[in-house]
Amino acid sequence: MFDIERIKEIIPHRNPFLLVDRILEINEGKRAVGIKNVTINEPYFLGHFPDYPVMPGVLIVEALAQVGGVAMSNVESNNHKIGLLTGIDNCRFKRQVKPGDQLLLVFDVIRIKGQIVKGKGVATVNNELVCECEIMFAFSSI
């Protein structure tokens, strides 16, 4: 299990764009499971939407991609590189995410080809499906 300090050692994201609070499980190069505690203090709730706060779907996908970055971070060929989003396929949203929810974020690697990684991301709240998608990213030298 990785806490926020360990996550910050692995991926370059920082507040307010670090969207993973804890890693619960990691199988390097294959799978990672993380959580995001959604609070009313998130800066995006000021405008999305002031009277009906809902976490933007694009940020749910980004949180899944960050968990994917953690899964791939210790693969030898990715040391000292940054993962850049290259594609999102078959993305569907099934439930709104609101302050007080805890997102469970699962990223399973489907394929690795050179520096390109494709994986399936699934986000749930209380065992209810929130989002599922396929995410591709490429590792690039910093």
Side-chain angles (χ1 to χ4, degrees):
M1 188 159 48
F2 297 166
D3 66 8
I4 193 70
E5 295 306 318
R6 179 72 175 111
I7 294 167
K8 286 168 40 177
E9 291 172 7
I10 296 172
I11 60 176
H13 305 79
R14 295 296 179 264
N15 288 328
F17 212 70
L18 179 57
L19 300 173
V20 181
D21 293 318
R22 184 170 300 275
I23 295 295
L24 303 175
E25 173 189 333
I26 185 167
N27 185 347
E28 293 174 1
K30 296 183 188 315
R31 174 184 174 93
V33 178
I35 59 171
K36 164 68 178 151
N37 295 308
V38 181
T39 68
I40 194 64
N41 298 326
E42 308 286 347
Y44 47 82
F45 286 136
L46 292 172
H48 198 268
F49 302 96
D51 297 325
Y52 190 78
V54 176
M55 184 175 184
V58 67
L59 295 182
I60 297 168
V61 174
E62 174 62 27
L64 286 165
Q66 288 180 19
V67 170
V70 171
M72 296 305 300
S73 64
N74 285 336
V75 173
E76 186 62 34
S77 63
N78 297 332
N79 285 344
H80 307 293
K81 294 184 178 177
I82 188 170
L84 301 171
L85 190 65
T86 59
I88 302 166
D89 294 319
N90 304 315
C91 188
R92 298 289 180 264
F93 298 96
K94 304 292 186 178
R95 177 193 188 279
Q96 296 172 1
V97 176
K98 298 180 178 188
D101 286 342
Q102 184 179 69
L103 273 172
L104 181 68
L105 305 158
V106 179
F107 186 92
D108 288 302
V109 175
I110 297 171
R111 181 176 67 242
I112 303 170
K113 187 173 183 178
Q115 297 299 307
I116 306 291
V117 176
K118 183 174 186 175
K120 180 173 183 178
V122 176
T124 60
V125 170
N126 295 327
N127 294 317
E128 288 183 59
L129 182 62
V130 168
C131 174
E132 59 185 340
C133 59
E134 294 174 356
I135 300 170
M136 283 189 2
F137 52 92
F139 281 91
S140 178
S141 297
I142 299 176

